[in-house]
Amino acid sequence: MGKRARILLIYTGGTIGMVKDYETGALKAFNFDQLLQKIPEINQIDCVIDTVSFAAPIDSSNMNPSYWVEIASIIEKGYQNFDGFVVLHGSDTMAYTASALSFMLENLRKPVILTGSQLPIGDLRTDAKENLITAIQIATLTEKNEPLLQEVALYFEYKLYRGNRTIKINAEHFEAFTSPNYPPLIESGVHLKAQYSFLYRVKNSKELKVHKAMNTNVAVLKLFPGINKNLLEAVVNTPDLRVLILETYGAGNATTDQWFLNTLKSAKSKGLHIVNVTQCSGGGVVMGHYEASTTLKALQLISGKDITTESAVTKAMYLLGQEVDPALFKSIFETAIRGEMSQN
């Protein structure tokens, strides 16, 4: 018998940590120290679990980079003492947090798994127990005396995904998340089935480095038929804006109207980085594939390839926080640094 894995459970808020007050019907957060009483099955997992909770748990709609820093700091502080980390989080912004943490935790060699639920832990039909139990179990898995998982991942409804590849697709179903452009890392059936070739590995032996500077001077603009010049100009002229994530049609297409191209060209000349991502949930940007994107290619827009909008936003915040040389920003953004996009 090897030593028992030590797992740190980090509760930020969200439905998973709620119990129903059956007299009032209201949901309220419960004391996470009582977790094992609520889910005695966790005792069957061969590990030691410690818990830490935000002083004031938040609804994930209120998630922001200062909370990301708090989560990253908790992981940094416990990194030597724990074998894995499970972050309990509301589902609404979970894909953003998973993406952000992937960039903030450089040279990560231990599992960081985000999970949550659509129904509270005390609900009769809750999905919280399965999500939590399996997330903890995956965090304890090893292969050749190393953690099986060495990246930030998201576990929901029988599938473990790379965190920075996920999007929330459903507010109603238990299967709330998907990873449109990258296969699941592990699927939970009778057995936990890992897809070893899809797992991320750091290719150096450097120590964990936690980046806490995230610059929020980023905007997202979704194109739509009828978008007008006033709106585009208002967005690109936002004071201090540094990066615009432009959600275009299909494989990276946009209107070829001259006012549109001139506004982007002018904004670029003033130093705005413009990232072209697709508003489709699957697939990616291939500028120049259609005539409607050759003009954007000529403008030297940054290709988001098959990155998710959530990942593009947090990668932009991270690169700005790193104070990357503006001349190198495009080439660095177009390069996968945490497995967040396909290299093609």
Side-chain angles (χ1 to χ4, degrees):
M1 285 287 289
K3 70 178 183 69
R4 295 174 77 195
R6 288 181 61 91
I7 304 298
L8 182 62
L9 208 54
I10 304 167
Y11 178 58
T12 67
T15 303
I16 193 166
M18 301 289 176
V19 286
K20 188 176 279 188
D21 183 319
Y22 284 101
E23 288 181 13
T24 65
L27 294 177
K28 58 182 183 178
F30 76 85
N31 183 344
F32 248 78
D33 294 337
Q34 299 166 357
L35 178 71
L36 295 178
Q37 295 169 18
K38 290 282 176 195
I39 313 182
E41 297 95 325
I42 286 178
N43 288 311
Q44 294 177 41
I45 304 173
D46 190 27
C47 67
V48 179
I49 297 172
D50 281 13
T51 59
V52 59
S53 176
F54 275 13
I58 61 162
D59 185 292
S60 77
S61 301
N62 291 318
M63 186 54 70
N64 66 46
S66 65
Y67 291 120
W68 295 337
V69 170
E70 191 173 340
I71 299 166
S73 299
I74 290 169
I75 292 168
E76 180 181 37
K77 188 178 172 190
Y79 195 69
Q80 300 306 326
N81 298 328
F82 292 94
D83 300 296
F85 304 86
V86 174
V87 181
L88 302 176
H89 193 291
S91 62
D92 285 350
T93 57
M94 194 187 294
Y96 286 95
T97 299
S99 298
L101 289 174
S102 77
F103 297 119
M104 297 167 81
L105 301 172
E106 187 178 0
N107 302 324
L108 180 67
R109 284 193 174 75
K110 293 183 179 182
V112 173
I113 302 174
L114 283 85
T115 195
S117 65
Q118 297 283 61
L119 287 173
I121 226 160
D123 200 280
L124 183 64
R125 295 188 308 106
T126 188
D127 53 332
K129 288 189 179 185
E130 196 282 321
N131 285 348
L132 182 53
I133 289 167
T134 309
I136 292 170
Q137 189 161 14
I138 291 171
T140 68
L141 297 178
T142 57
E143 181 81 12
K144 296 176 182 170
N145 293 323
E146 278 199 331
L148 175 66
L149 191 72
Q150 300 183 19
E151 59 183 292
V152 178
L154 186 156
Y155 182 79
F156 228 87
E157 190 65 5
Y158 306 114
K159 289 189 175 75
L160 182 84
Y161 299 113
R162 175 165 299 159
N164 57 30
R165 294 287 200 142
T166 56
I167 57 172
K168 186 175 181 185
I169 51 158
N170 204 302
E172 173 75 13
H173 295 169
F174 287 142
E175 200 170 329
F177 290 88
T178 192
S179 168
N181 294 322
Y182 200 77
L185 307 177
I186 296 176
E187 295 195 53
S188 171
V190 175
H191 301 286
L192 290 172
K193 188 177 177 185
Q195 301 290 348
Y196 294 95
S197 61
F198 299 139
L199 299 174
Y200 188 76
R201 289 291 180 267
V202 177
K203 293 178 174 65
N204 62 52
S205 55
K206 294 177 182 172
E207 294 292 303
L208 176 73
K209 189 173 183 184
V210 181
H211 300 278
K212 298 178 185 176
M214 297 289 275
N215 184 322
T216 59
N217 289 310
V218 175
V220 178
L221 179 62
K222 183 172 187 165
L223 297 189
F224 56 90
I227 190 169
N228 65 49
K229 186 177 179 181
N230 291 342
L231 175 64
L232 183 61
E233 286 186 343
V235 173
V236 298
N237 292 318
T238 301
D240 301 322
L241 185 67
R242 299 281 302 283
V243 177
L244 174 63
I245 313 287
L246 199 62
E247 284 197 352
T248 57
Y249 309 123
N253 306 315
T255 175
T256 53
D257 287 354
Q258 210 53 51
W259 66 262
F260 178 80
L261 299 171
N262 288 345
T263 305
L264 294 187
K265 189 174 183 180
S266 170
K268 273 203 80 220
S269 70
K270 294 173 189 168
L272 183 68
H273 301 294
I274 305 174
V275 183
N276 186 356
V277 302
T278 176
Q279 52 185 253
C280 301
S281 53
V285 163
V286 188
M287 282 189 286
H289 189 62
Y290 290 98
E291 192 178 347
S293 65
T294 51
T295 44
L296 301 184
K297 190 174 185 179
L299 282 176
Q300 287 277 292
L301 259 56
I302 297 166
S303 174
K305 301 182 180 178
D306 62 353
I307 199 169
T308 63
T309 296
E310 291 86 338
S311 201
V313 167
T314 53
K315 185 175 185 176
M317 289 182 182
Y318 165 72
L319 293 179
L320 291 177
Q322 292 301 294
E323 298 183 350
V324 163
D325 182 338
L328 299 175
F329 192 93
K330 181 180 189 313
S331 63
I332 294 175
F333 198 100
E334 291 180 343
T335 304
I337 55 176
R338 304 284 192 273
E340 73 283 0
M341 56 166 64
S342 300
Q343 278 309 125
N344 51 17

